[in-house]
Amino acid sequence: MFLNRRIWIVLCTLGVAFGVPTEIVESPDSVNSTLEYDSQFCHPLVIGHRGASGYAPEHTLGSYALAALMGADYVEPDLVITKDRRLVARHDNELGLTTDVSLHPEFADRYTNKTIDGKQMSGWFTEDFTLAELKTLRAVERIPNIRPGNSRMDGAFQIPTFQEIIELIKGLESSQNRIIGLYPEIKHSTYFESLGLPMEQLVVDILHSYGYQGSHAPVYIQSFEINNLKRLKRMTGIRLLQLYDSPDMTPFDQIEKENAPTYADMATPEGLAEVAKYAYAVGPDKSYIIPRDAENNLGEPTTFVHDAHEAGLKVHPYTFRAENAFLPTDCRNKMYPNLSSALGNLAAEITAYFNAGIDGLFSDQPDIPVRIRTGCLRNIN
Amino acid sequence: MFLNRRIWIVLCTLGVAFGVPTEIVESPDSVNSTLEYDSQFCHPLVIGHRGASGYAPEHTLGSYALAALMGADYVEPDLVITKDRRLVARHDNELGLTTDVSLHPEFADRYTNKTIDGKQMSGWFTEDFTLAELKTLRAVERIPNIRPGNSRMDGAFQIPTFQEIIELIKGLESSQNRIIGLYPEIKHSTYFESLGLPMEQLVVDILHSYGYQGSHAPVYIQSFEINNLKRLKRMTGIRLLQLYDSPDMTPFDQIEKENAPTYADMATPEGLAEVAKYAYAVGPDKSYIIPRDAENNLGEPTTFVHDAHEAGLKVHPYTFRAENAFLPTDCRNKMYPNLSSALGNLAAEITAYFNAGIDGLFSDQPDIPVRIRTGCLRNIN
């Protein structure tokens, strides 16, 4: 546990190359060693949400590199798919929100209306573009009013493929001399499968091909759906995380089932025990852990973390953001409390969650949790 | 010239390992192959000034990574030195401008007054700190009023060593599958030598130890002084660039000489011919090439580029910056012409310089010249 980082990297490489086969890693006995594995990272784990999306347009190589260089343990790409079955990183398959596609007259006829996970959407969609076409677009900031500093980089980056992200992280692992993990989310699984573009096997294949195998690999795969996680459990030993949307919602792949569970159902001790059968960890909206009160301040913690731990699950809530627009009232910038883009005291909000016993978190400003956590086994450069 | 990039990287690696010894590379015959070497980059060359300092605090690993990922051919660290003879990247040896040193009570007694290159300075100075001490500081934005978006990252990064920068670039070369060059400047050479902390041998040694040798290596070493460049010419085959400060100034290492040249003298055809004896390229303030007129707009180009080319020198002017505060009047942001932080039309200013025949440029927003130059032999990812 206190070995030099170089030694850990060597061990990890050996582990990847000669490690325990998937089947055995999935056995209950392997959980302890997995827990030990994560202790090589600092605690709680810091996941750079969409990279360091508080500082650069989300899901760009620039954003991921900033997150890694700020000391994030993991970087989080959201994955969608192209017409020619290439995995690329966007939060949505709709491209108008985060690219300059609307300025490309050659793609004007791709503008269309779709129903995705039950929601009506208008725009341009990744599944209607080849990768070569997507590569002619440029990323822009999603929320320019809240992040004008990010908008300065509009046009500077392309849409990255998952492979390019893995290559970037491998290069940074080498230069930073530490393990940097990947935390991909499979978006709209059922929707893409209905188009004949299922993503799960592609995600697993590329991860396995880069040597990420078993629960010791520094990877989590996340989804808001259930069935695909259960399928993934049979396809790979890589750790899986069940995401939780609003309590009243039902995972999209479940809605046609009788007695389909809501996320609230899945957050009960019984629901968590069911999730623990296929997932290693849960990723709830942070309000599952500390709800806000009537003044939009942090209230009393719920039993969610305790219940999840009882079920044997790690807890990695989302999303911690430093701008006033997202903060509890008490944490807002004192000088500019009404300016949505002003940075407030995210450290205070995060500290409350650390105290609530979380095991990791997703943050758009990963430098902040990295700096305030204690008990790190490694130095951050 | 049209070989695949992978092949170039292999050739480069072989070249470094088994390449022509320094002495031969320095011979006039080698110049042609050096010119061919740079044609592997796009033309004109884009040098990420202090990284991508328009988007992240200057001289941080985050800033350098952004520059490289935006497609800059070279990243530019300014080098100063610590008490224990370690090379670190800061624009100035004074630390108060770009770090949180003033918030460290344990260093309050290091605050002092010095005369550096003839200028009175007050503050905290790198030469009074060990590297371990510097590593407890955090970088902050130098010009927060003009770059509030950068200030969001205050505290996120440490001061990097030159070695850490080289390692970062090596890792990014691997992931980006292209050559990424280094463009270090030796700051205050005479001053540091007077303290018993000469920098030149250290810079050369670390570059040579990483395989950067001869004029084929993707490296330039720059200085505003003359004597150290002449010494470097005997120490290494790495290409050298003579920087030009204000025309009425004299390089600091020359001021006690009889008939000491001003930079204006060094910019005449005769002066450039002298510089060409030791330097491969010149780095003038951009006003040497296109002066501003009475309305602060771009005037008529001078003969500087022509004269430098006649002397056999490449021309890499500095510094191209997108904020109103730095732009010609006509290029300022049309909507917010009086807001110093607003981004204007840097592309227009750069285009005028491309048309004036420059061979490269230093930019705080390297994505902009990367996107507007034409005739690239490689794709930018």
Side-chain angles (χ1 to χ4, degrees):
Chain A
M1 215 143 133
F2 293 92
L3 294 177
N4 178 289
R5 279 181 288 152
R6 280 177 191 272
I7 295 172
W8 278 113
I9 287 177
V10 169
L11 287 178
C12 176
T13 308
L14 290 172
V16 164
F18 306 106
V20 186
T22 299
E23 291 71 23
I24 298 175
V25 172
E26 287 185 59
S27 77
D29 284 352
S30 71
V31 172
N32 284 336
S33 56
T34 301
L35 299 188
E36 277 170 26
Y37 177 80
D38 259 4
S39 72
Q40 303 326 310
F41 293 98
C42 294
H43 184 84
L45 289 178
V46 174
I47 305 147
H49 187 244
R50 312 180 191 177
S53 55
Y55 303 124
E58 65 183 37
H59 295 307
T60 60
L61 293 187
S63 181
Y64 299 125
L66 284 178
L69 293 168
M70 287 172 172
D73 303 301
Y74 286 84
V75 298
E76 191 235 17
D78 293 335
L79 298 180
V80 293
I81 193 165
T82 67
K83 182 157 71 173
D84 50 349
R85 296 173 199 274
R86 297 294 299 272
L87 299 169
V88 296
R90 288 290 91 192
H91 179 62
D92 294 290
N93 50 335
E94 202 286 302
L95 292 161
L97 293 167
T98 61
T99 75
D100 63 358
V101 65
S102 67
L103 305 178
H104 287 253
E106 70 275 24
F107 297 134
D109 62 355
R110 310 278 174 100
Y111 185 92
T112 186
N113 307 304
K114 303 208 180 196
T115 302
I116 295 161
D117 298 359
K119 281 188 209 147
Q120 291 273 357
M121 301 272 290
S122 299
W124 298 259
F125 296 86
T126 57
E127 62 267 27
D128 299 329
F129 289 74
T130 64
L131 177 62
E133 288 171 339
L134 282 188
K135 281 289 185 185
T136 67
L137 305 182
R138 292 280 168 164
V140 302
E141 172 55 32
R142 168 192 295 272
I143 44 175
N145 291 334
I146 295 175
R147 291 174 175 162
N150 289 11
S151 294
R152 299 178 302 171
M153 282 175 259
D154 282 1
F157 297 107
Q158 293 180 332
I159 296 176
T161 64
F162 189 32
Q163 182 168 13
E164 287 166 345
I165 297 163
I166 296 171
E167 293 277 356
L168 175 74
I169 293 305
K170 291 281 187 188
L172 290 169
E173 279 190 323
S174 162
S175 64
Q176 300 310 103
N177 196 23
R178 69 177 178 95
I179 296 167
I180 302 169
L182 291 161
Y183 213 119
E185 180 187 345
I186 297 179
K187 307 289 296 193
H188 311 306
S189 171
T190 296
Y191 170 77
F192 282 123
E193 190 165 19
S194 74
L195 302 179
L197 296 169
M199 295 171 67
E200 283 72 15
Q201 192 66 54
L202 294 173
V203 172
V204 167
D205 285 350
I206 191 169
L207 287 169
H208 286 185
S209 76
Y210 274 91
Y212 297 105
Q213 302 220 36
S215 61
H216 288 60
V219 179
Y220 291 74
I221 303 174
Q222 350 156 36
S223 177
F224 279 105
E225 299 190 12
I226 294 176
N227 287 339
N228 65 334
L229 289 174
K230 288 181 174 173
R231 281 203 312 280
L232 282 162
K233 172 80 169 162
R234 296 189 294 272
M235 294 160 65
T236 182
I238 288 172
R239 290 167 295 174
L240 306 174
L241 177 131
Q242 175 71 60
L243 289 166
Y244 284 65
D245 209 330
S246 305
D248 58 339
M249 288 177 67
T250 289
F252 182 68
D253 60 312
Q254 305 291 313
I255 52 172
E256 298 190 354
K257 278 195 184 163
E258 217 176 323
N259 298 322
T262 61
Y263 289 107
D265 296 330
M266 296 161 65
T268 63
E270 299 73 29
L272 288 162
E274 281 301 306
V275 170
K277 292 179 181 169
Y278 57 89
Y280 172 83
V282 285
D285 181 280
K286 61 191 178 184
S287 63
Y288 279 87
I289 295 169
I290 308 182
R292 302 259 175 113
D293 66 18
E295 279 76 44
N296 193 38
N297 282 315
L298 294 180
E300 286 301 307
T302 68
T303 60
F304 186 95
V305 172
H306 172 268
D307 297 342
H309 284 170
E310 285 291 301
L313 292 159
K314 296 287 184 182
V315 182
H316 299 173
Y318 67 89
T319 305
F320 293 85
R321 294 173 159 135
E323 295 89 354
N324 277 347
F326 306 109
L327 286 172
T329 307
D330 282 351
C331 296
R332 291 193 182 147
N333 187 295
K334 300 291 178 223
M335 229 159 148
Y336 304 103
N338 298 315
L339 184 64
S340 64
S341 61
L343 301 187
N345 189 356
L346 177 60
E349 186 189 22
I350 288 175
T351 300
Y353 280 81
F354 282 0
N355 292 338
I358 62 171
D359 304 292
L361 52 74
F362 295 81
S363 181
D364 291 0
Q365 282 90 5
D367 57 310
I368 293 173
V370 163
R371 294 187 68 193
I372 64 175
R373 65 184 171 182
T374 52
C376 264
L377 298 180
R378 62 174 171 79
N379 293 318
I380 307 298
N381 285 315
Chain B
M1 214 144 133
F2 294 93
L3 293 178
N4 178 289
R5 280 181 287 152
R6 280 177 191 272
I7 297 174
W8 277 114
I9 287 177
V10 170
L11 287 178
C12 177
T13 308
L14 290 172
V16 164
F18 307 105
V20 186
T22 300
E23 291 71 24
I24 298 177
V25 173
E26 287 186 58
S27 78
D29 284 353
S30 70
V31 172
N32 285 334
S33 55
T34 302
L35 298 187
E36 279 169 26
Y37 177 79
D38 260 4
S39 72
Q40 304 324 313
F41 293 98
C42 293
H43 184 82
L45 290 178
V46 174
I47 305 147
H49 186 245
R50 312 181 191 176
S53 54
Y55 303 124
E58 66 184 37
H59 296 307
T60 60
L61 293 187
S63 180
Y64 299 126
L66 284 178
L69 293 169
M70 287 172 172
D73 304 301
Y74 286 83
V75 298
E76 191 234 18
D78 292 335
L79 299 179
V80 293
I81 194 165
T82 67
K83 182 158 69 173
D84 50 349
R85 295 173 200 273
R86 296 294 299 272
L87 298 169
V88 296
R90 289 291 89 191
H91 179 61
D92 293 291
N93 50 335
E94 201 288 300
L95 291 161
L97 292 167
T98 61
T99 75
D100 63 359
V101 66
S102 68
L103 305 178
H104 286 252
E106 70 275 24
F107 297 135
D109 63 354
R110 311 278 174 99
Y111 186 92
T112 185
N113 305 305
K114 303 208 180 196
T115 302
I116 295 161
D117 296 0
K119 281 189 210 146
Q120 292 272 356
M121 302 272 291
S122 299
W124 298 259
F125 297 86
T126 57
E127 63 266 27
D128 298 329
F129 288 75
T130 65
L131 178 61
E133 288 171 338
L134 282 188
K135 282 288 184 184
T136 67
L137 305 182
R138 293 279 168 163
V140 302
E141 172 55 33
R142 168 192 295 272
I143 44 175
N145 291 334
I146 295 176
R147 292 175 174 162
N150 288 11
S151 293
R152 299 177 302 170
M153 283 174 258
D154 282 0
F157 297 105
Q158 293 180 331
I159 297 175
T161 64
F162 189 32
Q163 182 168 11
E164 287 166 345
I165 297 164
I166 296 172
E167 293 278 357
L168 175 74
I169 293 305
K170 292 280 188 190
L172 290 170
E173 279 190 322
S174 163
S175 64
Q176 300 309 103
N177 196 24
R178 68 177 179 94
I179 296 167
I180 303 169
L182 291 161
Y183 214 118
E185 181 187 344
I186 297 178
K187 307 290 297 193
H188 312 305
S189 170
T190 295
Y191 170 77
F192 283 122
E193 189 164 20
S194 75
L195 302 180
L197 297 168
M199 295 172 68
E200 284 71 17
Q201 192 66 53
L202 294 172
V203 172
V204 166
D205 285 350
I206 190 169
L207 287 169
H208 286 184
S209 76
Y210 274 90
Y212 297 104
Q213 301 222 34
S215 61
H216 288 60
V219 178
Y220 291 74
I221 303 174
Q222 350 154 39
S223 176
F224 279 105
E225 299 190 10
I226 294 176
N227 288 339
N228 65 334
L229 289 174
K230 289 181 175 173
R231 280 204 312 281
L232 282 162
K233 171 80 169 165
R234 295 188 295 271
M235 294 160 65
T236 180
I238 289 173
R239 290 167 295 175
L240 306 174
L241 177 132
Q242 175 70 59
L243 288 165
Y244 284 66
D245 208 331
S246 305
D248 58 338
M249 288 177 67
T250 289
F252 182 68
D253 61 311
Q254 305 291 312
I255 52 173
E256 297 191 353
K257 278 195 183 163
E258 216 177 322
N259 298 319
T262 62
Y263 289 107
D265 296 330
M266 295 160 65
T268 62
E270 300 71 31
L272 288 162
E274 281 301 307
V275 170
K277 291 178 181 169
Y278 58 89
Y280 173 83
V282 286
D285 181 279
K286 61 191 178 185
S287 63
Y288 280 88
I289 295 169
I290 309 182
R292 303 259 176 113
D293 65 18
E295 279 76 44
N296 193 39
N297 282 313
L298 294 180
E300 286 301 308
T302 68
T303 60
F304 185 95
V305 172
H306 173 268
D307 296 342
H309 285 171
E310 285 291 301
L313 292 159
K314 296 285 185 185
V315 182
H316 298 172
Y318 67 90
T319 305
F320 292 87
R321 295 173 159 136
E323 295 89 354
N324 277 347
F326 307 109
L327 286 171
T329 307
D330 283 350
C331 296
R332 290 192 183 147
N333 187 295
K334 299 293 177 221
M335 229 157 149
Y336 303 101
N338 298 316
L339 184 64
S340 64
S341 61
L343 301 186
N345 190 356
L346 177 61
E349 186 188 24
I350 288 175
T351 300
Y353 280 81
F354 282 0
N355 292 338
I358 62 171
D359 304 293
L361 52 72
F362 294 81
S363 180
D364 291 0
Q365 282 89 5
D367 57 311
I368 293 173
V370 163
R371 294 188 67 194
I372 65 174
R373 66 183 171 182
T374 53
C376 264
L377 298 180
R378 62 174 171 80
N379 294 317
I380 307 299
N381 287 315

